Amino acid sequence: MPPQLLDRLKSAGSSVSAMTLGQKVIAVIGVAVLVLGATAFGRWVSTPSLVPVYANLSGTDGQAIADILTQDGVPFEATNGGTGISIARESVDAEKMKIAAAGLPSDSSSGSAVLASSGITTSQFMEKANYQRAMEADLAKTIEQLDGVRTAVVHIAVPEETVFTDDKGKTTASVLVETTPGKTLTDSQIQSILNLTASSVPNLDPSQVTISDSTGRLLSAAGQGLTGSGSSDARTQQYESDKAASIQQVLDKVLGPGKAIASVSAELNFDTTNEVKEEFDYPKQLPPLSSSTSTEKYTGTNGQTGGALGTNGVLGVDGTTTTTNGGAGGNGYDKEQSTVNNPINKTTTTSQLAPGTLKRQSIAVVVDEKAAKAMGMPQLQETIANAAGVLDTRGDSLSVTQATFDTSAADAAAKDLEAAKAEDAKAAQTKLITQGAVGLLALVFLLVVFIAWRRAAKRRPSRESLDLGELERLYPAGPVIGPDGVAALGAPGAPQLTPSAPDPAALRRAEVGELVDQQPAEVADLLRGWLADTRKV
C-alpha cells in the first residue's frame, strides 16, 4: 500500500477515534441515509420509462408481439389483461417498425382491413356487403372503448331498395357486448351505445336497436327501450327506496330517530303510450271569415197556405220558417237564410309518455305509541300524506299504525357505541402519548449529542497564527531529505536545513501535554494523589 494512502487511512482512523459517541451515531446515520438514497436513485435511473403503444389486442397478437420484444431484449409491460402493451420509450420507434413488418397486429376486424381485402373485380353486391361489414367492425371498435366493455359485435340489417313498392322497411341493428368481469353497464352507457349505433348508420332510429350482453340478458329491446340494468323491477325498487327514505327523514325530524318506520310499495307504468289531444277555441273578438244571406219570397192566389199550423204561418222547405203575406186575393211567404263561418282555433298536441310513471302507491307507517300521542294521529297522518304525495284520485293508500317499540336493542347498541367511542378516544390518547414520548426521546437524544459536541469543542485547544518574522538559520546547510527519504539537491546558494535528532525531554513534554488535553480529569486525579502522598511523607 502506498505510504500516502496509509497515512491518510491512519489520519481518518485517528479522527474517528477522537469523535464522541454522539458524533459517531450521527455519522453512521448520515452514511446510511446516503447509501439508501444512492441505491434508490440508481434503481430509479436504471428503470426504463414505458410508453403505452398497443391497446385492445387479441390474445394471439399480444403473444406474438411479446415474443418479438422478448427476443430483442426490449423492456415491456402487458396491461389490461394482455390486451395492451407498453414499450420502453427509447425503443418505441424501432420496435413498432419491426412489429409492423411482421404483420402485427394482424386483427382483420377493423373497417379499413375489410375494405382493403376487396379485389378489383368485386361486384356491386360485394362492395355493398363489404361496406356494411366495415361499418359494423368500426362500430364494434368504438363501443369497445367504453369503460366496462371488453368486446362487442354489431350486426346491421338494411332493407333492400325496390322500385315495385313505396313501402320501405326499417333499418335495424343488434349489438352484443361482453362486459369486463365484475362490471355491469349503467343506463347511461346503454343509452350511449344506442345513440352511437343510430348516429352511425343512415336511417336508423334508436328505437330499432337491440342490445344484449354475453350472458343473454336483454339490455335494450327494439321498440321498448332500456330493459337491462334499468329494468322495471330495478326502477320500481329504486323508487320505493327513495320514497321510503324521504318519508323516514321527515319522521326522524318530527318524532325523533327510531320512533317510526316507513315502507312504500309502488306500481309503475312502463307502457310506452302516445297521447294526441285536440282543442278548439272560438275567439269572439275576431270577425267572421265569411257570411252569406239568401232571401226567398212567394206570392200565391186562390190558394191557402196553412195546414196544421193555421193560416198565420207554415213550415216551409228544408225546415225554414215562412211567413204569409195577407192580401186581398191570396197567400204567400218570405224565406231568409244566413250562413256565417266563424274563425276556429285548433290546437293539436302529441305527447309520448315516458315509461316508468307512477301508477299507484301504498304507504305503511308504524309509529311508536308514545311519540304518536305527543303529536296526534290526525296531524301525523296529514304530514305523512303531504310528504309522500298521496293522491286519492290515483288510488294511493296510506296506513299509519301505533305500536310499542322495543328499545332494548337500540339501548344496547347505544351503549356499545359509547363504549366504542371511549375505546377509540383512549386509543387515540395512547397513540398521542406514544408519539409525544418518541418525540421527547428524540429531542433528548439530539440535546445530548449537542452537549457532547459542545464539550468536545471546548476541550480542543485554541490555536492562533503568529507572525514570527525572519528566522535565523539553526542548522548548517546540507542536503534536503525528500518524502521518499532520498536527499534532494537544492539550487546553488539556496538555504538548506538538515533535520536534527528529537529532544527526549521535548517529546515527553509533548506527550504529557497531549494527555492533559485528552484526559484532563484523569490527570487532575493523578496529580491530587501525588500531592497527597507528598504531604504524608
Side-chain angles (χ1 to χ4, degrees):
M1 182 178 295
Q4 295 85 354
L5 181 59
L6 185 60
D7 293 340
R8 290 183 178 275
L9 291 177
K10 290 182 179 179
S11 176
S14 301
S15 301
V16 173
S17 300
M19 294 173 62
T20 62
L21 179 61
Q23 293 175 340
K24 291 180 180 179
V25 171
I26 293 177
V28 171
I29 294 176
V31 172
V33 170
L34 289 176
V35 171
L36 292 176
T39 303
F41 180 76
R43 295 184 64 180
W44 176 74
V45 171
S46 61
T47 302
S49 178
L50 301 179
V51 178
V53 178
Y54 297 102
N56 298 324
L57 294 172
S58 62
T60 305
D61 292 342
Q63 184 62 40
I65 294 175
D67 293 340
I68 294 176
L69 296 175
T70 303
Q71 184 179 0
D72 295 343
V74 176
F76 71 95
E77 181 183 8
T79 59
N80 297 329
T83 60
I85 293 181
S86 300
I87 305 176
R89 185 182 299 274
E90 61 274 8
S91 305
V92 170
D93 296 335
E95 292 302 321
K96 285 182 67 176
M97 294 179 62
K98 187 171 183 180
I99 292 172
L104 296 174
S106 60
D107 189 5
S108 60
S109 61
S110 63
S112 58
V114 173
L115 293 178
S117 62
S118 301
I120 300 177
T121 59
T122 304
S123 63
Q124 184 178 3
F125 175 78
M126 289 301 299
E127 288 181 355
K128 184 177 179 180
N130 289 334
Y131 174 75
Q132 183 170 330
R133 289 175 53 201
M135 187 183 302
E136 294 172 349
D138 289 340
L139 269 175
K141 288 293 183 183
T142 303
I143 295 173
E144 289 174 357
Q145 302 303 317
L146 295 177
D147 184 23
V149 178
R150 188 171 183 178
T151 57
V153 180
V154 179
H155 295 289
I156 302 173
V158 181
E160 184 178 359
E161 297 182 359
T162 177
V163 297
F164 299 103
T165 179
D166 294 333
D167 297 334
K168 183 180 180 181
K170 296 181 179 180
T171 303
T172 59
S174 61
V175 181
L176 177 65
V177 295
E178 180 183 0
T179 58
T180 305
K183 289 188 177 181
T184 57
L185 297 181
T186 62
D187 290 348
S188 60
Q189 288 178 317
I190 299 174
Q191 191 65 41
S192 298
I193 295 176
L194 285 174
N195 295 335
L196 281 173
T197 306
S199 301
S200 302
V201 180
N203 302 324
L204 177 60
D205 191 82
S207 61
Q208 300 300 321
V209 180
T210 302
I211 303 176
S212 177
D213 61 5
S214 57
T215 61
R217 188 164 61 101
L218 190 62
L219 304 179
S220 176
Q224 299 181 11
L226 303 182
T227 59
S229 58
S231 60
S232 58
D233 294 338
R235 296 177 66 178
T236 302
Q237 293 175 3
Q238 184 67 32
Y239 175 83
E240 292 174 351
S241 60
D242 293 344
K243 181 64 70 174
S246 63
I247 298 174
Q248 189 67 48
Q249 185 177 5
V250 174
L251 293 173
D252 292 340
K253 292 290 184 180
V254 174
L255 303 177
K259 300 297 183 180
I261 301 174
S263 177
V264 178
S265 176
E267 182 180 354
L268 303 183
N269 184 10
F270 292 96
D271 297 336
T272 302
T273 57
N274 295 325
E275 183 180 24
V276 179
K277 184 178 181 181
E278 293 184 351
E279 295 181 353
F280 297 91
D281 183 23
Y282 168 53
K284 298 181 180 180
Q285 68 275 13
L286 296 179
L289 297 177
S290 62
S291 62
S292 62
T293 304
S294 62
T295 303
E296 182 179 352
K297 185 176 182 181
Y298 174 78
T299 301
T301 58
N302 297 327
Q304 183 176 0
T305 303
L309 296 181
T311 59
N312 294 329
V314 295
L315 186 63
V317 183
D318 297 331
T320 58
T321 304
T322 60
T323 59
T324 60
N325 288 329
N331 296 324
Y333 70 88
D334 296 333
K335 176 183 178 184
E336 182 177 353
Q337 183 177 4
S338 299
T339 302
V340 179
N341 295 325
N342 294 314
I344 302 298
N345 291 336
K346 178 182 178 181
T347 303
T348 303
T349 304
T350 303
S351 59
Q352 183 177 4
L353 301 180
T357 57
L358 179 61
K359 190 174 182 180
R360 63 181 303 274
Q361 61 181 351
S362 299
I363 302 172
V365 179
V366 180
V367 186
D368 187 20
E369 187 175 0
K370 296 180 180 179
K373 289 180 179 179
M375 183 176 181
M377 287 298 294
Q379 185 178 0
L380 179 61
Q381 189 167 0
E382 183 180 357
T383 301
I384 297 174
N386 293 331
V390 176
L391 297 178
D392 296 335
T393 57
R394 192 171 50 199
D396 298 347
S397 61
L398 173 62
S399 173
V400 181
T401 307
Q402 300 182 29
T404 302
F405 281 17
D406 183 10
T407 60
S408 58
D411 296 339
K415 292 181 180 179
D416 294 340
L417 182 60
E418 292 295 333
K421 288 183 178 179
E423 189 69 24
D424 293 341
K426 184 178 179 180
Q429 184 178 5
T430 304
K431 183 178 180 181
L432 183 61
I433 294 174
T434 304
Q435 292 177 352
V438 173
L440 183 59
L441 290 177
L443 183 60
V444 170
F445 174 75
L446 293 177
L447 184 60
V448 169
V449 172
F450 177 73
I451 293 174
W453 176 76
R454 292 281 294 179
R455 288 182 178 178
K458 290 181 179 180
R459 290 175 184 174
R460 297 175 185 172
S462 59
R463 300 180 180 180
E464 297 180 359
S465 59
L466 299 177
D467 186 8
L468 302 178
E470 293 186 6
L471 298 177
E472 296 181 358
R473 181 182 300 171
L474 299 179
Y475 305 102
V480 179
I481 305 302
D484 54 355
V486 180
L489 298 177
Q496 302 291 333
L497 294 177
T498 57
S500 59
D503 187 5
L507 289 177
R508 285 194 294 271
R509 284 195 299 270
E511 290 177 358
V512 172
E514 185 178 358
L515 181 62
V516 171
D517 291 337
Q518 293 183 357
Q519 300 177 353
E522 288 79 356
V523 173
D525 294 339
L526 181 60
L527 291 176
R528 292 191 191 97
W530 288 352
L531 292 175
D533 293 341
T534 304
R535 290 174 183 175
K536 290 179 182 180
V537 175

